[in-house]
């Protein structure tokens, strides 16, 4: 290795130590007040939720905490090469304060942020400050050795480590100690990386949350398989008991007609009319069966027009509002269509409503979501119970990481809200 190479390597190390010291000092100056302010405001705001004030303030405070955490994620990647993924659920900004507040409080990432803030204002502050101290404290000893000790002479001296600096001799001892401590300055970049790794440990989802996520995915996959199997059995049963039976009967009628053409033309004519009606009925049943599998209008014209067509067949006046600039993937549209169909069926059968409203629109804050609300002015009291139609809708949406929320106080109205992630 040449002298120039060694000098260049040493220069890079010095620059890295200096940069780590400056970055660590800046982090320490921001970490303590920022984390303390965010944690205090969050606790106070959440405590005020029961009296209503927190419903207004909590979303704003938690949004600020998320911004603070995301800023630290950016610094961790740029300054320390530590990647900390952000996994917040999208906050429904256009929802009412109650829905938005509790939507954010149900997000596990929110509670990870709130656990991180006390850690950041204690251990995080210490590790950030350590990267600055490892570089600046040895330089302080050298500064004392070259004369910085003199201003402290009038106040009885100055303690540097275990050296009491009162004159030039003790100042030189402080300088020697600073030189010894300077060997630890190379650890400053590592201390800064330690700070960011500590942040990642707290902010990243733990094994328990990942295990819960796997469990939910396993359950939703099982539900999807069971639903598909039940759908296949229904199709087989409908074909066997409906269209197939009519086609068999029509074949028998045609055989009888062949024998009666010469002997009894009038009877053959009547059987021909009956066979024609049977073929029409079989065709109608096949069309209904196909519509139950995947409506042609859904494939051809999209979810909005498919829901409008569904609303036209309702015995209750139904208004449809659609704001879907783009089409979602076919499986998402299919799941949304049948979820709306089930919600409408429940409203017609059980609510006693005389009017229904449907709203479909995209929510683009955060991850893109398809949001659907089905509202009726019926008697209310709808719940998501085992074996109910709404429980089936919840299982269907769960396959796509979708969620179902029901607001149905006694006396009505009932609002069923569905959200499905979509690209």
């Amino acid at each position: 290795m040449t002298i120039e190479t060694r000098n260049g390597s040493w220069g890079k190390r010095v620059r890295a130590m200096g940069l780590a010291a400056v970055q660590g000092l800046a982090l320490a100056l921001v970490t303590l007040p920022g984390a303390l302010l965010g944690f205090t405001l969050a606790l106070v705001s959440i405590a005020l939720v029961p009296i209503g004030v927190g419903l207004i303030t909590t979303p704003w405070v938690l949004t600020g905490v998320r911004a603070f955490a995301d800023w630290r994620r950016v610094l961790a990647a740029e300054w320390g090469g530590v990647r900390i993924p952000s996994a917040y659920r999208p906050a429904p900004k256009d929802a009412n304060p109650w829905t938005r507040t509790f939507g954010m409080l149900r997000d596990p990432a929110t509670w990870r942020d709130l656990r991180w803030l006390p850690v950041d204002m204690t251990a995080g502050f210490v590790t950030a400050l350590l990267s600055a101290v490892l570089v600046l404290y040895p330089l302080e000893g050298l500064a004392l050795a070259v004369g910085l000790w003199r201003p402290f002479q009038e106040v009885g001296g100055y303690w540097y480590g275990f050296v009491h600096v009162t004159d030039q001799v003790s100042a030189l001892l402080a300088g020697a100690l600073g030189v010894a401590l300077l060997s630890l300055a190379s650890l400053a970049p590592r201390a800064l990386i330690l700070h960011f790794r500590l942040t990642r440990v707290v902010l990243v989802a733990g094994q328990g949350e990942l295990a819960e996520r796997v469990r939910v995915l396993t359950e939703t996959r099982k539900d999807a398989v069971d639903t598909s199997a039940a759908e296949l059995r229904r199709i087989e049963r409908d074909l066997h008991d409906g269209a197939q039976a009519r086609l068999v009967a029509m074949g028998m009628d045609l055989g009888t007609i062949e024998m009666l053409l010469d002997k009894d033309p009038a009877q053959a004519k009547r059987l021909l009319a009956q066979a024609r009606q049977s073929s029409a009925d079989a065709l109608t049943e096949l069309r209904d069966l196909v519509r139950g599998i995947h409506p042609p209008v859904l494939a051809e014209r999209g979810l909005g027009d498919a829901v409008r067509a569904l609303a036209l067949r309702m015995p209750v006046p139904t208004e449809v509002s659609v704001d879907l600039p783009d089409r979602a993937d076919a499986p998402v549209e299919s799941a949304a269509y049948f979820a709306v169909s089930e919600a409408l069926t429940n409203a017609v059968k059980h609510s006693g409503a005389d009017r229904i409203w449907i709203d479909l629109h995209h929510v683009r804050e955060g991850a893109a979501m398809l949001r659907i609300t089905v509202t009726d002015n019926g008697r209310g009291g709808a719940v998501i119970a085992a074996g109910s139609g709404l429980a089936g809708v919840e299982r269907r949406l769960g396959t796509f990481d979708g969620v179902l929320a029901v607001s149905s106080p006694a006396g009505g109205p009932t609002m069923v809200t569905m959200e499905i992630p979509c690209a």
Side-chain angles (χ1 to χ4, degrees):
M1 181 182 292
T2 64
I3 295 177
E4 291 78 5
T5 303
R6 287 197 297 269
N7 289 338
S9 177
W10 176 248
K12 289 181 180 179
R13 292 178 62 186
V14 170
R15 285 194 296 270
M17 289 186 291
L19 182 61
V22 173
Q23 292 173 342
L25 182 61
L27 272 177
L29 294 176
V30 175
T31 291
L32 184 59
L36 182 61
L37 179 63
F39 187 67
T40 303
L41 290 179
L43 287 184
V44 173
S45 184
I46 294 173
L48 294 177
V49 167
I51 64 174
V53 177
L55 294 177
I56 305 299
T57 60
T58 298
W60 294 100
V61 172
L62 293 182
T63 299
V65 171
R66 290 184 177 188
F68 184 63
D70 282 337
W71 173 69
R72 299 296 288 282
R73 289 183 173 96
V74 173
L75 293 186
E78 293 182 352
W79 290 2
V82 178
R83 303 291 177 180
I84 307 176
S86 178
Y88 297 112
R89 295 175 183 175
K93 294 185 178 180
D94 56 344
N96 59 59
W98 179 276
T99 301
R100 190 174 174 214
T101 297
F102 284 93
M104 298 182 77
L105 291 178
R106 283 194 296 266
D107 188 351
T110 297
W111 297 102
R112 287 197 296 271
D113 286 351
L114 296 181
R115 290 195 301 268
W116 165 69
L117 289 175
V119 175
D120 194 45
M121 71 177 72
T122 53
F125 171 76
V126 171
T127 52
L129 188 61
L130 180 61
S131 61
V133 169
L134 287 173
V135 175
L136 299 180
Y137 195 64
L139 297 181
E140 180 185 346
L142 297 177
L144 289 171
V146 297
L148 186 62
W149 64 274
R150 298 183 186 279
F152 299 100
Q153 190 176 19
E154 298 178 358
V155 294
Y158 178 82
W159 281 96
Y160 178 76
F162 56 83
V163 177
H164 189 204
V165 181
T166 57
D167 53 21
Q168 186 61 51
V169 175
S170 58
L172 290 175
L173 290 176
L177 179 59
V179 172
L181 293 176
L182 197 59
S183 62
L184 300 177
S186 61
L187 299 177
R190 296 184 182 181
L192 189 64
I193 292 176
L194 175 63
H195 169 84
F196 292 127
R197 287 180 176 173
L198 176 65
T199 302
R200 181 176 64 182
V201 167
V202 184
L203 287 180
V204 172
Q207 292 297 321
E209 294 182 21
L210 294 177
E212 176 65 15
R213 175 65 175 155
V214 171
R215 185 190 66 79
V216 172
L217 290 175
T218 302
E219 288 184 358
T220 55
R221 183 183 65 179
K222 180 179 179 296
D223 290 338
V225 172
D226 292 343
T227 301
S228 299
E231 190 71 8
L232 288 174
R233 290 193 297 270
R234 181 188 69 81
I235 294 170
E236 181 181 11
R237 184 179 63 251
D238 290 347
L239 285 173
H240 183 272
D241 297 340
Q244 180 178 332
R246 291 187 183 278
L247 291 174
V248 170
M250 188 173 65
M252 295 175 63
D253 289 341
L254 290 176
T256 304
I257 291 169
E258 288 179 348
M259 293 185 295
L260 294 176
L261 280 176
D262 296 330
K263 299 178 181 180
D264 191 351
Q267 180 65 17
K269 186 176 180 180
R270 285 194 295 273
L271 289 176
L272 276 173
Q274 183 177 332
R276 184 172 64 251
Q277 183 60 42
S278 295
S279 68
D281 293 341
L283 182 60
T284 300
E285 290 185 358
L286 287 174
R287 285 174 176 169
D288 291 340
L289 184 62
V290 170
R291 186 179 296 112
I293 299 172
H294 193 79
V297 66
L298 179 62
E300 296 170 2
R301 303 181 62 180
L303 180 61
D305 286 340
V307 171
R308 289 189 182 99
L310 188 63
L312 291 176
R313 297 197 297 270
M314 290 293 106
V316 176
T318 303
E319 297 182 13
V320 181
S321 174
V322 178
D323 182 14
L324 301 176
D326 303 307
R327 292 192 61 173
D329 292 338
V332 173
E333 286 192 333
S334 180
Y337 174 84
F338 287 107
V340 172
S341 177
E342 183 65 35
L344 289 175
T345 300
N346 284 348
V348 171
K349 285 185 177 180
H350 308 298
S351 71
D354 57 17
R355 200 162 193 83
I356 300 175
W357 297 267
I358 306 173
D359 178 73
L360 300 91
H361 64 278
H362 275 149
V363 179
R364 298 193 177 278
E365 293 87 0
M369 304 286 288
L370 172 62
R371 180 177 297 165
I372 306 168
T373 58
V374 179
T375 308
D376 66 67
N377 61 352
R379 64 178 67 94
V383 294
I384 305 175
S388 68
L390 291 177
V393 172
E394 187 176 42
R395 288 194 301 271
R396 182 187 291 272
L397 297 182
T399 307
F400 299 87
D401 277 350
V403 294
L404 172 71
V406 178
S407 173
S408 184
T414 295
M415 174 181 290
V416 178
T417 304
M418 296 165 275
E419 288 188 351
I420 310 175
C422 61

